[in-house]
């Protein structure tokens, strides 16, 4: 798989990536790939074939943390792809959190890097390749314009547009502010320019990205300017625009107004609830109560009647009682989510919640989790029924991994849509295209239909 036409410090080398966690890492992975390829490396799928393996890690919950460390540890037993030893680089949020400690635990890790110095990776790899020592480089704040790095987009028709990094909210359970730093917004002209160039390139869907997009601009301009970003994206000519994540405390009437004004801003909002108990929300430091959350939902539905909402919910936060939990179930029923990510609380060292008394037995929490999943599924099923018999524009990704005769795509509300590939049609003609689909069947996790135009 070597490409002699490429030159650069990593020319002739192969690389593979393993990426975990949220969209921040997905986007960082595109930048890592872009840089490695600009430096001459060639992508391969398997670790066995790779001279360089880059892990982008996540530590938001313990399970992911442990699984990942297991994967990194198992690298030791895989023989090198070519003559030179394989270079293992571990970055992302565990890299940021653990730094040199990670190499103490796993001595075959050549490079540890963090969330603020992705731009140094090629240099770190080159030095190691030329005989330098293993290195752990973690910076407290970014010293680079993270948005100026080359990108290798996974799907050419879909672009992640980071508008800000970091988080200032310090929800008491969450490690993200410690591993991603404080909120830093990109200058608004840069965001506008990127949106315009994506539209000019013919990208179909842009996803504006940040831990808390609603407060975009506050650090640079004194007050948030997210509504202006939405307006710009609304006028950009892009077929579809989405944004994640919104914090309920920061979503403003101006933002809702802009959101409602442009049909290419897709009618779906991820609005993390976390808990339906006001007492727990306070302990979580979420800065809203259920009354305020429901007001936001009403404002949204008033302006965008067809909007679909999704959410994140944590079960088993320290001290959560049966009553608190039942309040969460009631909120899920009342809001009517199209989907929800549900998590069992995971204690993260260094966060305030880690110090809170936590004596609920695991079986009780697991039982609550199972009951929550049932209610979420019921809600998702009911919401999806609204689509049955309706004609929808679907942005196709390509064929399903499990069934080469089934096309996969997304509805405006971000529902997964399955459509049989028409006889004799080429799946490649669908990837990245929007086509009208008649929805014939609505299930809990997906819609199924047929092409409306043949
Ligand atoms: N910035 C986003 C997402 C952050 S992480 C937001 O504020 O919504 C994604 C989700 O992981 C969170 O919404 C939360 O539901 C969950 N999460 C974060 N820390 C957790 C922990 N310690 N245990 C369980 N779930 C957690
Ligand atoms: Fe974590 Fe809260 Fe920030 Fe989201 S808003 S990243 S949950 S601290
Ligand atoms: Fe995980 Fe880091 Fe995202 S901890 S959720 S990858 S910001």
């Amino acid at each position: 798989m070597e490409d002699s036409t490429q030159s650069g410090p990593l020319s002739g080398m192969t690389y593979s990536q393993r990426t975990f966690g949220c969209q921040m890492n997905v986007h960082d992975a595109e930048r890592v790939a872009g840089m490695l390829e600009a430096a001459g490396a060639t992508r391969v799928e398997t670790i066995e074939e790779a001279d360089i393996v880059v892990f982008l890690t996540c530590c938001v919950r313990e399970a992911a943390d442990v699984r990942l460390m297991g994967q990194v540890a198992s690298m030791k037993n895989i023989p090198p792809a070519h003559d030179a030893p394989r270079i293992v680089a571990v970055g992302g949020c565990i890299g940021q959190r653990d730094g040199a400690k990670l190499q103490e635990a796993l001595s075959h890790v050549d490079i540890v890097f963090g969330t603020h110095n992705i731009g140094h990776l090629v240099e770190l790899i080159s030095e190691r390749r030329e005989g330098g020592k293993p290195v752990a480089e973690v910076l407290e704040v970014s010293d680079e314009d993270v948005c100026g790095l080359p990108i290798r987009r996974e799907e050419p028709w879909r672009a992640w547009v980071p508008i800000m990094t970091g988080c200032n909210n310090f929800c008491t359970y969450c490690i993200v502010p410690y591993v991603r730093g404080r909120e830093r917004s990109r200058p608004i002209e840069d965001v506008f320019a990127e949106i315009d160039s994506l539209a000019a390139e013919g990208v179909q869907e842009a996803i504006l990205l940040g831990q808390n997009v609603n407060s975009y601009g506050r650090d640079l301009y004194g007050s948030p300017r997210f509504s202006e970003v939405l307006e710009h994206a609304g006028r950009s000519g892009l077929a579809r625009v989405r944004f994640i994540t919104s914090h309920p405390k920061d979503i403003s009437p101006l933002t809702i107004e802009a959101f409602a004004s442009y049909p290419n801003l897709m009618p779906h909002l991820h609005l993390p609830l976390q808990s339906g108990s006001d007492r727990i929300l306070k302990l979580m430091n979420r800065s809203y109560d259920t009354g305020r959350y429901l007001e936001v939902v009403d404002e949204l539905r008033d302006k965008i009647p067809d909007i679909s909402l999704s959410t994140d919910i944590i079960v088993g936060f320290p001290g959560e009682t049966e009553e608190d939990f039942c309040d969460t179930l009631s909120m899920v029923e009342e809001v009517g989510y199209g989907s929800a990510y549900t998590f069992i609380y995971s204690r993260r060292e260094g966060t305030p919640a880690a110090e809170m008394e936590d004596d609920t037995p695991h079986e009780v929490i697991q039982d609550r989790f199972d009951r929550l999943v049932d209610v979420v599924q019921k809600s998702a099923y009911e919401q999806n029924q609204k689509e049955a018999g309706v004609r929808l524009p679907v942005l196709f990704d390509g064929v399903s991994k499990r069934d080469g005769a089934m096309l996969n795509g997304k509805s405006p509300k971000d529902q997964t849509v399955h459509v049989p590939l028409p006889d004799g049609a080429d799946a490649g003609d669908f990837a990245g295209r929007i086509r009208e689909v008649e929805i014939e069947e609505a299930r809990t996790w997906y819609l199924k239909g047929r092409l409306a135009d043949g």
Side-chain angles (χ1 to χ4, degrees):
M1 286 278 286
E2 287 173 23
D3 182 348
S4 57
T5 60
Q6 286 176 332
S7 62
L10 307 183
S11 94
M13 296 184 87
T14 53
Y15 79 94
S16 196
Q17 284 178 307
R18 293 295 175 271
T19 302
F20 304 83
C22 70
Q23 301 314 333
M24 291 291 162
N25 270 1
V26 172
H27 179 69
D28 285 350
E30 294 189 339
R31 298 187 341 210
V32 165
M35 282 188 306
L36 295 182
E37 290 183 18
T42 307
R43 162 121 123 202
V44 289
E45 288 314 316
T46 69
I47 284 177
E48 284 75 9
E49 296 169 277
D51 300 315
I52 305 165
V53 179
V54 181
F55 286 89
L56 288 177
T57 60
C58 173
C59 51
V60 77
R61 285 170 292 275
E62 193 181 1
D65 206 334
V66 170
R67 201 169 47 235
L68 228 141
M69 294 305 277
Q71 281 204 25
V72 176
S74 71
M75 294 291 305
K76 202 163 60 185
N77 310 322
I78 306 175
H82 302 108
D83 297 337
R86 177 178 293 109
I87 296 181
V88 178
V90 181
C93 295
I94 298 182
Q96 183 71 28
R97 184 191 61 186
D98 293 351
K101 271 200 299 197
L102 206 148
Q103 269 164 335
E104 285 161 25
L106 299 169
S107 59
H108 62 292
V109 171
D110 297 280
I111 295 162
V112 178
F113 63 108
T115 55
H116 300 301
N117 58 341
I118 285 181
H120 297 189
L121 186 59
V122 168
E123 202 180 310
L124 296 173
I125 294 173
S126 306
E127 282 168 12
R128 178 66 177 145
R129 187 195 191 188
E130 284 154 20
K133 289 197 172 61
V135 60
E137 185 192 89
V138 173
L139 306 180
E140 281 309 308
V141 287
S142 177
D143 66 342
E144 62 191 27
D145 173 16
V146 287
C147 303
L149 302 172
I151 288 182
R152 178 197 202 277
R153 226 177 275 136
E154 284 307 314
E155 298 153 316
W157 60 87
R158 179 172 291 132
W160 306 101
V161 181
I163 62 170
M164 62 194 301
T165 57
C167 180
N168 291 354
N169 289 318
F170 291 95
C171 302
T172 54
Y173 50 81
C174 184
I175 199 154
V176 169
Y178 305 90
V179 289
R180 289 277 167 175
R182 294 300 77 72
E183 280 176 13
R184 286 184 63 219
S185 301
R186 267 172 93 183
I188 203 159
E189 312 79 59
D190 292 6
V191 172
F192 287 179
E194 185 165 347
I195 290 172
D196 293 343
S197 77
L198 294 172
E201 259 182 68
V203 163
Q204 296 281 8
E205 181 170 83
I207 308 174
L208 310 172
L209 206 57
Q211 296 293 353
N212 183 15
V213 290
N214 301 102
S215 70
Y216 166 80
R218 196 181 340 238
D219 55 315
L220 287 183
Y221 308 111
S223 56
R225 295 181 68 180
F226 186 56
S227 60
E228 291 170 58
V229 176
L230 285 187
E231 279 165 14
H232 192 89
R235 287 194 291 261
S236 63
L238 284 163
R240 291 185 167 196
V241 177
R242 302 183 186 278
F243 49 98
I244 47 172
T245 304
S246 292
H247 194 302
K249 81 176 161 64
D250 290 315
I251 191 156
S252 68
L254 269 179
T255 295
I256 297 177
E257 195 65 52
F259 189 11
S261 300
Y262 299 93
N264 63 339
L265 305 180
M266 291 293 104
H268 164 248
L269 186 69
H270 188 66
L271 196 63
L273 171 67
Q274 311 298 1
S275 168
S277 153
D278 289 338
R279 194 180 75 81
I280 296 291
L281 285 172
K282 208 167 191 146
L283 289 173
M284 287 176 161
N285 190 31
R286 286 292 287 177
S287 314
Y288 55 85
D289 58 14
T290 49
R292 175 66 196 136
Y293 187 96
L294 290 170
E295 261 171 42
V296 171
V297 170
D298 282 348
E299 278 169 50
L300 284 162
R301 291 204 165 126
D302 182 42
K303 297 274 172 11
I304 311 165
D306 195 32
I307 195 166
S308 158
L309 298 172
S310 60
T311 201
D312 290 349
I313 296 170
I314 297 175
V315 178
F317 185 83
E320 182 189 74
T321 62
E322 176 64 19
E323 193 185 342
D324 293 320
F325 174 69
C326 288
D327 288 344
T328 298
L329 291 183
S330 312
M331 270 298 272
V332 173
E333 281 167 344
E334 184 163 355
V335 175
Y337 293 106
S339 66
Y341 295 92
T342 49
F343 307 106
I344 287 183
Y345 168 74
S346 171
R347 185 176 174 277
R348 302 283 66 197
E349 200 65 58
T351 61
E355 308 302 319
M356 295 179 191
E357 194 168 339
D358 185 8
D359 52 10
T360 317
H362 179 73
E363 308 78 67
V364 172
I365 295 175
Q366 185 66 50
D367 174 64
R368 285 182 193 159
F369 182 81
D370 296 343
R371 283 151 67 202
L372 175 63
V373 169
D374 283 346
V375 174
V376 164
Q377 288 189 0
K378 200 163 143 268
S379 176
Y381 181 80
E382 280 166 14
Q383 294 300 318
N384 277 353
Q385 292 314 307
K386 295 182 184 167
E387 270 24 89
V390 172
R391 182 191 265 230
L392 293 175
V394 171
L395 172 56
F396 285 102
D397 292 325
V399 286
S400 150
K401 284 202 185 90
R402 267 177 290 171
D403 178 356
M406 190 64 87
L407 291 164
N408 272 355
K410 289 284 187 182
S411 74
K413 295 182 186 173
D414 214 28
Q415 293 140 309
T416 296
V417 182
H418 297 312
V419 174
L421 182 66
D423 285 341
D426 180 354
D429 292 341
F430 289 89
R433 297 258 167 80
I434 297 176
R435 300 278 295 267
E436 292 286 317
V437 171
E438 300 279 358
I439 302 299
E440 297 172 318
E441 196 184 333
R443 300 276 189 91
T444 305
W445 303 123
Y446 62 89
L447 308 173
K448 206 169 160 187
R450 64 180 166 77
L451 291 172
D453 44 5

